[in-house]
mmCIF file of all heavy atoms in Angstrom:
data_model
loop_
_atom_site.group_PDB
_atom_site.id
_atom_site.type_symbol
_atom_site.label_atom_id
_atom_site.label_comp_id
_atom_site.label_asym_id
_atom_site.label_seq_id
_atom_site.Cartn_x
_atom_site.Cartn_y
_atom_site.Cartn_z
ATOM 1 N N ASP A 94 -14.054 0.180 23.705
ATOM 2 C CA ASP A 94 -13.183 1.096 24.490
ATOM 3 C C ASP A 94 -13.690 2.528 24.392
ATOM 4 O O ASP A 94 -13.627 3.282 25.348
ATOM 5 C CB ASP A 94 -11.754 1.087 23.967
ATOM 6 C CG ASP A 94 -11.031 -0.192 24.325
ATOM 7 O OD1 ASP A 94 -11.614 -0.985 25.096
ATOM 8 O OD2 ASP A 94 -9.917 -0.401 23.830
ATOM 9 N N GLU A 95 -14.116 2.900 23.174
ATOM 10 C CA GLU A 95 -14.514 4.276 22.917
ATOM 11 C C GLU A 95 -15.982 4.513 23.297
ATOM 12 O O GLU A 95 -16.467 5.632 23.149
ATOM 13 C CB GLU A 95 -14.262 4.632 21.457
ATOM 14 C CG GLU A 95 -12.751 4.659 21.107
ATOM 15 C CD GLU A 95 -12.464 4.658 19.624
ATOM 16 O OE1 GLU A 95 -13.369 4.952 18.813
ATOM 17 O OE2 GLU A 95 -11.317 4.342 19.248
ATOM 18 N N GLY A 96 -16.679 3.480 23.757
ATOM 19 C CA GLY A 96 -18.072 3.645 24.188
ATOM 20 C C GLY A 96 -19.025 3.936 23.059
ATOM 21 O O GLY A 96 -20.068 4.553 23.255
ATOM 22 N N ILE A 97 -18.664 3.452 21.842
ATOM 23 C CA ILE A 97 -19.559 3.686 20.697
ATOM 24 C C ILE A 97 -20.502 2.481 20.589
ATOM 25 O O ILE A 97 -20.071 1.352 20.418
ATOM 26 C CB ILE A 97 -18.745 3.828 19.399
ATOM 27 C CG1 ILE A 97 -17.745 4.983 19.530
ATOM 28 C CG2 ILE A 97 -19.665 4.046 18.196
ATOM 29 C CD1 ILE A 97 -16.796 5.118 18.365
ATOM 30 N N THR A 98 -21.814 2.765 20.691
ATOM 31 C CA THR A 98 -22.768 1.668 20.759
ATOM 32 C C THR A 98 -23.573 1.480 19.460
ATOM 33 O O THR A 98 -24.212 0.461 19.294
ATOM 34 C CB THR A 98 -23.755 1.905 21.935
ATOM 35 O OG1 THR A 98 -24.318 3.200 21.777
ATOM 36 C CG2 THR A 98 -23.054 1.798 23.287
ATOM 37 N N ASN A 99 -23.533 2.483 18.586
ATOM 38 C CA ASN A 99 -24.339 2.369 17.351
ATOM 39 C C ASN A 99 -23.507 1.851 16.192
ATOM 40 O O ASN A 99 -23.623 2.322 15.049
ATOM 41 C CB ASN A 99 -24.980 3.738 17.000
ATOM 42 C CG ASN A 99 -23.930 4.791 16.735
ATOM 43 O OD1 ASN A 99 -22.817 4.750 17.256
ATOM 44 N ND2 ASN A 99 -24.290 5.783 15.908
ATOM 45 N N VAL A 100 -22.634 0.872 16.480
ATOM 46 C CA VAL A 100 -21.739 0.329 15.462
ATOM 47 C C VAL A 100 -21.733 -1.190 15.602
ATOM 48 O O VAL A 100 -21.811 -1.720 16.716
ATOM 49 C CB VAL A 100 -20.343 0.968 15.574
ATOM 50 C CG1 VAL A 100 -19.590 0.429 16.749
ATOM 51 C CG2 VAL A 100 -19.532 0.784 14.316
ATOM 52 N N ASP A 101 -21.656 -1.884 14.455
ATOM 53 C CA ASP A 101 -21.520 -3.346 14.478
ATOM 54 C C ASP A 101 -20.507 -3.735 13.399
ATOM 55 O O ASP A 101 -20.277 -2.993 12.442
ATOM 56 C CB ASP A 101 -22.858 -4.032 14.149
ATOM 57 C CG ASP A 101 -23.776 -4.084 15.365
ATOM 58 O OD1 ASP A 101 -23.368 -4.708 16.344
ATOM 59 O OD2 ASP A 101 -24.850 -3.451 15.302
ATOM 60 N N PHE A 102 -19.907 -4.880 13.600
ATOM 61 C CA PHE A 102 -18.939 -5.398 12.638
ATOM 62 C C PHE A 102 -19.307 -6.827 12.284
ATOM 63 O O PHE A 102 -19.744 -7.593 13.153
ATOM 64 C CB PHE A 102 -17.530 -5.332 13.212
ATOM 65 C CG PHE A 102 -17.086 -3.897 13.468
ATOM 66 C CD1 PHE A 102 -17.170 -3.351 14.740
ATOM 67 C CD2 PHE A 102 -16.608 -3.116 12.419
ATOM 68 C CE1 PHE A 102 -16.797 -2.028 14.969
ATOM 69 C CE2 PHE A 102 -16.210 -1.810 12.652
ATOM 70 C CZ PHE A 102 -16.314 -1.266 13.910
ATOM 71 N N ALA A 103 -19.149 -7.199 11.018
ATOM 72 C CA ALA A 103 -19.467 -8.554 10.591
ATOM 73 C C ALA A 103 -18.496 -9.014 9.507
ATOM 74 O O ALA A 103 -18.018 -8.223 8.711
ATOM 75 C CB ALA A 103 -20.895 -8.593 10.038
ATOM 76 N N ARG A 104 -18.215 -10.316 9.506
ATOM 77 C CA ARG A 104 -17.362 -10.889 8.490
ATOM 78 C C ARG A 104 -18.211 -11.236 7.273
ATOM 79 O O ARG A 104 -19.184 -12.010 7.372
ATOM 80 C CB ARG A 104 -16.643 -12.138 9.019
ATOM 81 C CG ARG A 104 -15.683 -12.707 8.028
ATOM 82 C CD ARG A 104 -14.646 -13.597 8.668
ATOM 83 N NE ARG A 104 -13.655 -14.000 7.667
ATOM 84 C CZ ARG A 104 -13.627 -15.210 7.099
ATOM 85 N NH1 ARG A 104 -14.480 -16.126 7.436
ATOM 86 N NH2 ARG A 104 -12.717 -15.484 6.154
ATOM 87 N N ALA A 105 -17.906 -10.621 6.146
ATOM 88 C CA ALA A 105 -18.673 -10.858 4.913
ATOM 89 C C ALA A 105 -17.831 -10.514 3.714
ATOM 90 O O ALA A 105 -16.921 -9.670 3.785
ATOM 91 C CB ALA A 105 -19.953 -10.001 4.930
ATOM 92 N N ASP A 106 -18.143 -11.126 2.591
ATOM 93 C CA ASP A 106 -17.553 -10.771 1.313
ATOM 94 C C ASP A 106 -18.480 -9.746 0.671
ATOM 95 O O ASP A 106 -19.587 -10.105 0.231
ATOM 96 C CB ASP A 106 -17.419 -12.012 0.420
ATOM 97 C CG ASP A 106 -16.725 -11.720 -0.892
ATOM 98 O OD1 ASP A 106 -16.739 -10.560 -1.316
ATOM 99 O OD2 ASP A 106 -16.161 -12.652 -1.493
ATOM 100 N N ALA A 107 -18.055 -8.500 0.629
ATOM 101 C CA ALA A 107 -18.942 -7.405 0.181
ATOM 102 C C ALA A 107 -19.330 -7.536 -1.284
ATOM 103 O O ALA A 107 -20.283 -6.892 -1.740
ATOM 104 C CB ALA A 107 -18.267 -6.050 0.432
ATOM 105 N N GLN A 108 -18.616 -8.368 -2.045
ATOM 106 C CA GLN A 108 -19.002 -8.571 -3.458
ATOM 107 C C GLN A 108 -20.319 -9.303 -3.595
ATOM 108 O O GLN A 108 -21.042 -9.101 -4.563
ATOM 109 C CB GLN A 108 -17.875 -9.304 -4.186
ATOM 110 C CG GLN A 108 -18.164 -9.462 -5.676
ATOM 111 C CD GLN A 108 -16.998 -10.135 -6.412
ATOM 112 O OE1 GLN A 108 -15.857 -9.895 -6.110
ATOM 113 N NE2 GLN A 108 -17.328 -10.957 -7.389
ATOM 114 N N VAL A 109 -20.634 -10.146 -2.641
ATOM 115 C CA VAL A 109 -21.807 -11.026 -2.798
ATOM 116 C C VAL A 109 -22.776 -10.979 -1.625
ATOM 117 O O VAL A 109 -23.887 -11.530 -1.731
ATOM 118 C CB VAL A 109 -21.359 -12.510 -2.989
ATOM 119 C CG1 VAL A 109 -20.717 -12.686 -4.365
ATOM 120 C CG2 VAL A 109 -20.416 -12.962 -1.912
ATOM 121 N N GLU A 110 -22.394 -10.356 -0.517
ATOM 122 C CA GLU A 110 -23.293 -10.336 0.651
ATOM 123 C C GLU A 110 -24.623 -9.671 0.342
ATOM 124 O O GLU A 110 -24.627 -8.534 -0.174
ATOM 125 C CB GLU A 110 -22.572 -9.618 1.806
ATOM 126 C CG GLU A 110 -23.383 -9.475 3.086
ATOM 127 C CD GLU A 110 -23.497 -10.780 3.852
ATOM 128 O OE1 GLU A 110 -22.796 -11.758 3.511
ATOM 129 O OE2 GLU A 110 -24.324 -10.826 4.770
ATOM 130 N N PRO A 111 -25.763 -10.293 0.662
ATOM 131 C CA PRO A 111 -27.050 -9.613 0.450
ATOM 132 C C PRO A 111 -27.327 -8.641 1.608
ATOM 133 O O PRO A 111 -27.941 -9.013 2.598
ATOM 134 C CB PRO A 111 -28.057 -10.772 0.414
ATOM 135 C CG PRO A 111 -27.405 -11.907 1.114
ATOM 136 C CD PRO A 111 -25.909 -11.668 1.147
#
Side-chain angles (χ1 to χ4, degrees):
D94 287 353
E95 293 165 18
I97 302 174
T98 53
N99 62 332
V100 74
D101 280 299
F102 295 98
R104 184 160 186 257
D106 184 337
Q108 183 177 323
V109 290
E110 178 73 11

